């Protein structure tokens, strides 16, 4: 078989930027399906609206959140946890679209985590000024599964440190369509999002939407 230079150009390997052992940034991985994802986001949010959760310490988060899938991440004065019911409605969270699960599994596989089956998808909305303080994702039962994070809309500065809160984090600009996969040795790394800068995105306006897929139960 002759090598075809043009085939390589037509079907490039996604750019894979290692952030740390077990953590990979897949640039533009979700670009092609972004429009379709956003339509489904609107459907989910019509059933389970965005809301500002209160932390156990009594602060109201600047990021607005909702969930879909069998489990949803919630926070209130009693703590952080996953719950099968939306506390606003008392109803189960909306179903996770099959196409989202497939995208998350493909991204995880690209990063070396085969067989990822998310049971929770946290939807985060950032407006200019919204931020997420450094934290670890540690409310899931099983840390062997990675987390897959899809960024849409305005760009954000993602802070990524180590398992020690005191280590100064690295900064990465996450653009529309970028996907971060996070697991293995990095599963408990501290991370956060710097205050969102003003801007206008052609599909999302003055917003950033982030989807994080988890195996929580
Ligand atoms: C965000 N993401 O990007 C917030 N957590 O809006 C997260 O907190 C996060 O991107 C675990 C793994 C990847 C993430
Ligand atoms: Fe997180």
């Amino acid at each position: 078989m002759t090598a075809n230079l043009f085939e390589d150009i037509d079907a490039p390997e996604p750019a894979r930027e290692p952030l740390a052992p077990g953590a990979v940034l897949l640039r533009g991985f979700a670009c092609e399906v972004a429009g379709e994802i956003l339509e489904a986001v609107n459907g989910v949010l019509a059933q389970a609206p965005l809301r500002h959760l209160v932390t156990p310490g009594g602060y109201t988060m600047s990021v607005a959140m909702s969930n879909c899938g069998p489990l949803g991440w919630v926070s209130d004065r009693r703590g952080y946890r996953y719950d099968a019911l939306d506390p606003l409605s008392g109803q189960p969270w909306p179903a996770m679209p099959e196409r989202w699960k497939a995208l998350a599994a493909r991204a995880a596989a690209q990063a070396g985590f085969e067989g990822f089956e998310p049971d929770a998808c946290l939807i985060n909305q950032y407006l200019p000024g919204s931020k997420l303080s450094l934290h670890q994702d540690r409310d899931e039962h099983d840390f062997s599964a990675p987390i897959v994070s899809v960024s849409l809309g305005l760009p954000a500065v993602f802070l990524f440190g180590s398992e020690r809160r005191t280590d100064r984090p690295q900064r990465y600009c996450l653009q529309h369509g970028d996907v971060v996969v996070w697991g293995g040795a990095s599963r408990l790394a501290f991370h956060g999002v710097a205050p969102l800068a003003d801007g206008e995105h052609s599909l999302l306006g003055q917003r950033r939407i982030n989807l994080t897929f988890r195996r929580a139960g």
Side-chain angles (χ1 to χ4, degrees):
M1 215 176 75
T2 49
N4 184 340
L5 184 62
F6 296 99
E7 269 176 20
D8 293 341
I9 292 169
D10 285 347
E13 274 282 287
R16 207 183 306 199
E17 270 180 51
L19 306 188
V24 183
L25 170 47
L26 304 170
R27 289 275 181 209
F29 191 84
C31 266
E32 275 173 26
V33 291
E36 177 200 320
I37 293 175
L38 285 170
E39 278 179 31
V41 166
N42 290 333
V44 168
L45 297 182
Q47 285 177 260
L50 292 166
R51 78 290 308 261
H52 292 273
L53 299 174
V54 175
T55 67
Y59 293 98
T60 299
M61 298 179 73
S62 62
V63 178
M65 299 183 173
S66 185
N67 294 277
C68 64
L71 292 171
W73 186 83
V74 292
S75 174
D76 59 22
R77 291 305 299 246
R78 289 184 292 146
Y80 306 122
R81 66 192 168 277
Y82 283 93
D83 203 312
L85 302 180
D86 177 349
L88 274 187
S89 65
Q91 296 296 118
W93 297 101
M96 195 187 311
E98 289 300 324
R99 305 263 294 167
W100 295 17
K101 279 186 224 171
L103 175 76
R106 272 202 299 124
Q110 277 283 330
F113 301 97
E114 295 291 340
F116 178 54
E117 289 189 34
D119 59 7
C121 175
L122 176 62
I123 301 170
N124 292 151
Q125 175 179 272
Y126 296 71
L127 301 181
S130 301
K131 66 182 174 71
L132 196 60
S133 308
L134 278 184
H135 66 278
Q136 291 170 299
D137 290 11
R138 53 184 305 159
D139 301 314
E140 300 75 25
H141 272 125
D142 176 3
F143 297 142
S144 69
I147 292 172
V148 173
S149 155
V150 177
S151 291
L152 300 167
L154 288 180
V157 175
F158 187 55
L159 311 171
F160 176 75
S162 76
E163 279 193 27
R164 285 190 303 266
R165 189 188 282 280
T166 49
D167 282 352
R168 179 196 290 271
Q170 302 269 91
R171 300 164 73 88
Y172 298 93
C173 185
L174 299 183
Q175 306 272 359
H176 178 74
D178 288 351
V179 175
V180 180
V181 182
W182 194 274
S186 285
R187 182 61 182 72
L188 291 176
F190 278 90
H191 58 279
V193 177
L196 196 78
D198 277 322
E200 180 75 28
H201 185 269
S202 56
L203 287 180
L204 269 159
Q206 298 177 319
R207 294 189 290 159
R208 170 177 185 256
I209 297 275
N210 171 262
L211 307 177
T212 58
F213 296 89
R214 295 112 187 270
R215 182 85 206 167

